[in-house]
Amino acid sequence: MNALTQKPIRQIAYLVEDLDASVRHWAAGMGVGPWTLFRGAAMQGRYRGEDTCVKIDVGLSYRGELQIELIQVRSRTPSPYQHANGRTRLGLHHIAWHSDDLDADLAAARARGLQPVFEAGNGAVRVAYLESPAEPGLLLEYIEATPAVSDGFAAGVAAARGWDGREPILQDIDLGA
């Protein structure tokens, strides 16, 4: 067992064409809600060795202790969210774990043969996406478990437990990026 497999998967993420339509679908069709939306989030970092700034809209909700993340790409910069031709990847994108020590977890992942492809942050969160040669196409993510991330996660889990299925949007936050 390694540190990664000892921790629960905290997130499953999907890339979508239309965040609002996807949120409505997940809420009405699958009973997942309520959603917190972050519009205009910017992530500064490196993708496959190249500096980049990615702009995305994100929706977060929960099923039990699992976060569902929907991502709509807003920029056409190099990122793990797009094919080489610039077209957005759609569908299941990554699974994620929380990390109490992102640098140590990245070093351990490299030692197990995983390759970091995207490391980025924005002041509120720092993340790293990795890929495995044994499972091409699916990315693995570490999310630095800062107090803000952990508190937001706990609040989202609590909101989902008490959700009555009526209003699908809990918060709609414009980050202005």
Side-chain angles (χ1 to χ4, degrees):
M1 297 279 280
N2 59 56
L4 181 69
T5 58
Q6 293 175 354
K7 295 181 179 184
I9 294 172
R10 291 301 200 175
Q11 180 191 81
I12 297 176
Y14 298 85
L15 296 182
V16 301
E17 287 183 305
D18 181 328
L19 180 62
D20 295 305
S22 292
V23 163
R24 286 190 303 274
H25 172 73
W26 278 80
M30 293 178 264
V32 175
W35 292 84
T36 298
L37 308 181
F38 297 95
R39 299 186 192 270
M43 298 290 287
Q44 297 276 350
R46 294 184 64 78
Y47 175 64
R48 299 193 185 277
E50 184 177 339
D51 289 338
T52 191
C53 179
V54 181
K55 293 186 181 176
I56 55 178
D57 292 345
V58 175
L60 301 174
S61 191
Y62 300 80
R63 177 56 58 134
E65 299 282 323
L66 182 66
Q67 184 180 73
I68 308 296
E69 180 181 39
L70 305 176
I71 303 168
Q72 181 178 349
V73 181
R74 293 295 187 183
S75 60
R76 295 289 170 237
T77 54
S79 78
Y81 308 118
Q82 296 168 192
H83 295 283
N85 65 6
R87 190 173 47 98
T88 300
R89 298 176 185 271
L90 296 174
L92 180 62
H93 185 256
H94 67 262
I95 58 175
W97 291 261
H98 285 176
S99 171
D100 295 323
D101 186 339
L102 189 58
D103 296 323
D105 283 338
L106 283 173
R110 282 186 186 100
R112 290 191 316 278
L114 299 175
Q115 298 299 312
V117 296
F118 183 58
E119 296 179 55
N122 62 12
V125 67
R126 195 167 68 125
V127 302
Y129 290 167
L130 304 105
E131 62 186 0
S132 169
E135 192 68 41
L138 178 65
L139 294 174
L140 309 173
E141 180 188 25
Y142 285 123
I143 304 167
E144 189 171 47
T146 64
V149 167
S150 297
D151 292 348
F153 191 92
V157 167
R161 281 193 185 121
W163 187 51
D164 63 9
R166 286 187 280 173
E167 179 53 50
I169 307 299
L170 179 64
Q171 294 182 334
D172 194 337
I173 302 164
D174 185 351
L175 299 174

